[in-house]
């Protein structure tokens, strides 16, 4: 629960509104008997609600009980959402009032603009906007709107979730890759943008060979810019899941990793990728690309365990043991 300051409640976007008057002192509400919250006779930890909050919600409970759907009830829900934007019941009742009164839903979208500006990580506010867009069947403002939010917080989960819903529901994929590429140009480590790229590719292709090749090239290019960037490595692995040959037999990836290793790169993501390649192509015979020889892979596990990824030491020790056991079995079978 949030109890917004009076400045936020009564001065939105720099526009001064009328001074706050408690509902019990408003003549137009004199016919309503407020309904206090019932916390039982002996509340263990009573919440110290402000007088403003208790007053508004006492009246909200009263109209909720009576089922009143009027302009004044709608205005009351607006005050209540500002006082506590996470209250699901208030938002749900507001939607019922909007429908009952046949209100202009475009005006409601403008209202959510202000609410999200001050509560950009609040689920209920975003859910309300989603419902209004569904009712309107008009997503024309949504991509631009989410962009404004993402400009301030590029990893806002709710904004991305809303954007993906709009794109998928109303088939708005056309220019999304361009948008994502610009985000990655600005910040190659933006994991949300990488996720969005995978979302678009997954929903607009069947991961045909040319698509896989293109996306591998894209990921490797970004890895070249920041080889310690986990997001790009994860994206590469995600794309290779759709390659019939898998990670182990993609020569482009194998060669790139080998060259990075030979140039002195020791980022833990590179070493982990090389170990995975070795596991998929397991053999005791030494490859031309020597780092993929199983004995070399065991050495990579030890390097990760002792130096490059010590926080996951036990994991890499386990993988080294698995590889060693497989190698012993292979040698015994020969």
């Amino acid at each position: 629960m949030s109890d917004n300051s009076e400045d936020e409640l009564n001065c939105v976007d720099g526009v001064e509104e009328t001074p706050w008057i408690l509902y019990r002192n408003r003549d137009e509400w004199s016919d309503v008997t407020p309904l206090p919250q019932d916390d039982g006779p002996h509340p263990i930890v009573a919440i110290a609600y402000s007088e403003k909050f208790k007053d508004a919600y006492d009246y909200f409970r009263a109209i909720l009980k009576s089922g009143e759907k009027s302009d004044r009830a709608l205005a009351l829900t607006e005050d209540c959402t500002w006082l506590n934007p996470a209250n699901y019941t208030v938002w749900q009742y507001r939607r019922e009032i909007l429908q009952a009164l046949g209100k202009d839903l475009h005006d409601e979208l403008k209202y959510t603009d202000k609410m999200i500006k001050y509560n950009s990580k609040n689920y209920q506010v975003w859910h309300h906007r989603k419902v209004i867009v569904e009712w309107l069947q008009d997503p024309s403002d949504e991509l631009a709107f989410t962009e404004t939010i993402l400009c301030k917080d590029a990893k806002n989960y709710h904004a991305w979730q809303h954007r993906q819903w709009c794109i998928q529901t109303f088939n708005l994929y056309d220019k999304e890759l361009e948008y994502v590429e610009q985000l990655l140009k600005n910040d190659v480590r933006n994991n949300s943008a990488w996720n969005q790229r995978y979302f678009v590719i997954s929903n607009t292709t069947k991961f045909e060979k040319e698509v896989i090749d293109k996306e591998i090239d894209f990921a490797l290019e970004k890895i070249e810019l920041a080889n310690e960037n986990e997001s790009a490595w994860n994206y590469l692995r995600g794309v290779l899941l759709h390659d019939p040959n898998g990670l182990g037999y993609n020569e482009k990836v194998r060669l790139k990793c080998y060259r990075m290793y030979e140039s002195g790169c020791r980022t833990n993501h590179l070493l982990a990728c090389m170990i995975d390649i070795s596991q998929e192509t397991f053999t005791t015979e030494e490859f031309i690309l020597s780092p993929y020889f199983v004995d070399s892979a065991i050495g990579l596990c030890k390097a990760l365990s002792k130096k490059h990824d010590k926080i996951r030491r036990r994991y890499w020790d386990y993988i080294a043991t698995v590889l060693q056991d497989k190698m012993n079995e292979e040698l015994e079978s020969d």
Side-chain angles (χ1 to χ4, degrees):
M1 182 201 77
S2 75
D3 184 8
N4 290 11
S5 68
E6 188 166 322
D7 287 341
E8 286 184 335
L9 185 61
N10 297 314
C11 180
V12 180
D13 291 339
V15 179
E16 219 33 78
E17 297 184 359
T18 56
W20 180 266
I21 301 173
L22 293 173
Y23 276 84
R24 62 174 177 263
N25 296 329
R26 302 185 190 188
D27 292 340
E28 68 272 25
W29 285 91
S30 60
D31 61 312
V32 176
T33 301
L35 182 60
Q37 179 170 310
D38 184 5
D39 288 330
H42 305 291
I44 297 175
V45 182
I47 299 175
Y49 298 111
S50 69
E51 184 178 27
K52 184 190 299 183
F53 184 95
K54 288 189 292 185
D55 175 72
Y57 271 84
D58 285 354
Y59 278 83
F60 172 73
R61 279 185 287 272
I63 66 160
L64 183 65
K65 183 177 181 179
S66 67
E68 177 182 333
K69 295 181 176 66
S70 61
D71 285 325
R72 72 174 183 177
L74 186 64
L76 173 59
T77 63
E78 182 171 344
D79 285 342
C80 287
T81 55
W82 278 109
L83 287 163
N84 181 10
N87 190 305
Y88 170 82
T89 304
V90 176
W91 285 110
Q92 176 60 33
Y93 197 63
R94 181 176 179 84
R95 289 190 285 272
E96 292 177 15
I97 296 173
L98 290 170
Q99 287 186 309
L101 301 182
K103 291 294 185 179
D104 186 343
L105 297 179
H106 290 95
D107 289 339
E108 189 65 10
L109 278 183
K110 293 177 182 177
Y111 166 66
T112 65
D113 286 355
K114 293 186 294 184
M115 287 298 300
I116 290 174
K117 177 180 178 180
Y118 291 102
N119 303 278
S120 64
K121 295 185 178 181
N122 184 289
Y123 170 78
Q124 297 300 342
V125 181
W126 283 101
H127 177 70
H128 184 70
R129 187 177 182 95
K130 175 186 173 183
V131 173
I132 300 304
V133 172
E134 281 182 319
W135 287 351
L136 284 169
Q137 284 296 294
D138 178 11
S140 56
D141 295 331
E142 298 312 288
L143 297 189
F145 175 72
T146 53
E147 282 183 36
T148 62
I149 303 300
L150 294 171
C151 279
K152 298 176 182 178
D153 179 2
K155 300 180 181 181
N156 185 306
Y157 170 78
H158 300 289
W160 279 116
Q161 184 182 52
H162 185 74
R163 189 178 183 90
Q164 287 190 354
W165 171 78
C166 287
I167 289 172
Q168 196 163 37
T169 302
F170 299 101
N171 195 27
L172 303 177
Y173 293 98
D174 287 351
K175 297 183 179 180
E176 191 63 8
L177 277 185
E178 295 177 23
Y179 173 63
V180 169
E181 288 184 15
Q182 185 58 50
L183 290 178
L184 291 174
K185 183 178 179 180
N186 296 338
D187 178 11
V188 72
R189 295 173 176 81
N190 186 337
N191 58 295
S192 297
W194 281 105
N195 179 71
Q196 186 72 353
R197 186 176 183 90
Y198 192 83
F199 165 79
V200 174
I201 296 298
S202 297
N203 284 282
T204 57
T205 76
K206 295 182 180 179
F207 284 98
E208 299 86 353
K209 184 180 184 304
E210 58 271 22
V211 173
I212 293 173
D213 289 343
K214 178 184 176 183
E215 294 308 302
I216 288 174
D217 288 340
F218 182 84
L220 292 177
E221 176 187 328
K222 300 303 181 185
I223 287 172
E224 188 72 26
L225 295 175
N227 57 43
E228 79 288 357
N229 176 22
E230 184 176 6
S231 297
W233 285 102
N234 286 342
Y235 184 81
L236 177 64
R237 289 169 178 272
V239 170
L240 285 168
L241 287 175
H242 300 275
D243 187 339
N245 295 322
L247 171 64
Y249 295 92
N250 188 289
E251 289 304 314
K252 186 181 295 184
V253 175
R254 285 167 54 88
L255 185 59
K256 180 67 174 180
C257 290
Y258 172 68
R259 287 175 175 171
M260 290 175 66
Y261 184 83
E262 287 295 292
S263 69
C265 179
R266 293 296 184 271
T267 176
N268 59 331
H269 306 301
L270 168 64
L271 302 187
C273 187
M274 294 175 70
I275 291 168
D276 287 345
I277 290 173
S278 299
Q279 285 186 296
E280 285 196 23
T281 58
F282 183 85
T283 180
T284 55
E285 296 181 6
E286 186 169 359
F287 280 95
I288 295 175
L289 300 183
S290 59
Y292 301 117
F293 177 48
V294 65
D295 198 40
S296 298
I298 293 172
L300 294 178
C301 288
K302 292 178 179 177
L304 284 164
S305 172
K306 295 179 180 180
K307 183 176 181 181
H308 303 294
D309 194 16
K310 291 190 286 186
I311 195 170
R312 295 197 296 167
R313 175 177 57 84
R314 292 181 181 276
Y315 172 75
W316 293 119
D317 289 344
Y318 167 75
I319 296 299
T321 301
V322 170
L323 287 169
Q324 185 66 57
D325 290 345
K326 283 186 176 180
M327 185 168 69
N328 293 338
E329 290 176 6
E330 186 83 6
L331 291 171
E332 289 174 2
S333 65
D334 291 341

